[in-house]
Amino acid sequence: MSCYNKGDVFVFYREDGKDSFWQCGLNTLVSTTGDPKKIAGGPDKPFCSEAWDAISRYIYTGLQGGSIMKGWMKEENTMIACCSDGTRPVIFKIERIDIPE
């Protein structure tokens, strides 16, 4: 059974008392082609531990407003990361979305 589907979208927040980082991505899923209750990051499952280990540092940096990959990627607010599960790797595109105040 797969924890993720191609095209799944997750949004992390750190505002108004909501901090989805510290729940390991639980309930951050906003779009999927699968059953949300069976997807990691949905309402019932936090992110897979291998995937979380690979991407959490970039998510935390982005939530703090920091540069995710300055000098490595074309845009400093974007990162491509892959979990370390060699038999079922998942590739993530991580983007910091700046909301004007």
Side-chain angles (χ1 to χ4, degrees):
M1 180 166 89
S2 177
C3 288
Y4 303 99
N5 294 301
K6 183 176 182 179
D8 286 348
V9 176
F10 307 89
V11 177
F12 286 78
Y13 292 95
R14 177 169 276 174
E15 61 183 17
D16 299 329
K18 182 179 180 181
D19 191 343
S20 47
F21 179 84
W22 296 110
Q23 284 75 45
C24 297
L26 182 66
N27 226 6
T28 57
L29 179 69
V30 295
S31 177
T32 184
T33 58
D35 179 355
K37 292 184 177 217
K38 295 181 180 179
I39 304 299
D44 297 333
K45 292 172 127 181
F47 268 61
C48 162
S49 61
E50 289 296 323
W52 189 246
D53 185 51
I55 66 174
S56 63
R57 69 199 82 204
Y58 305 114
I59 292 171
Y60 187 79
T61 301
L63 286 170
Q64 299 295 330
S67 173
I68 298 175
M69 282 309 290
K70 187 174 184 178
W72 287 94
M73 299 289 290
K74 188 174 186 178
E75 298 175 12
E76 71 176 55
N77 68 329
T78 304
M79 175 59 184
I80 304 297
C82 181
C83 75
S84 60
D85 184 339
T87 60
R88 295 172 299 198
V90 178
I91 298 170
F92 295 90
K93 180 179 181 183
I94 303 162
E95 296 177 279
R96 185 191 72 227
I97 301 169
D98 298 322
I99 300 171
E101 292 185 31

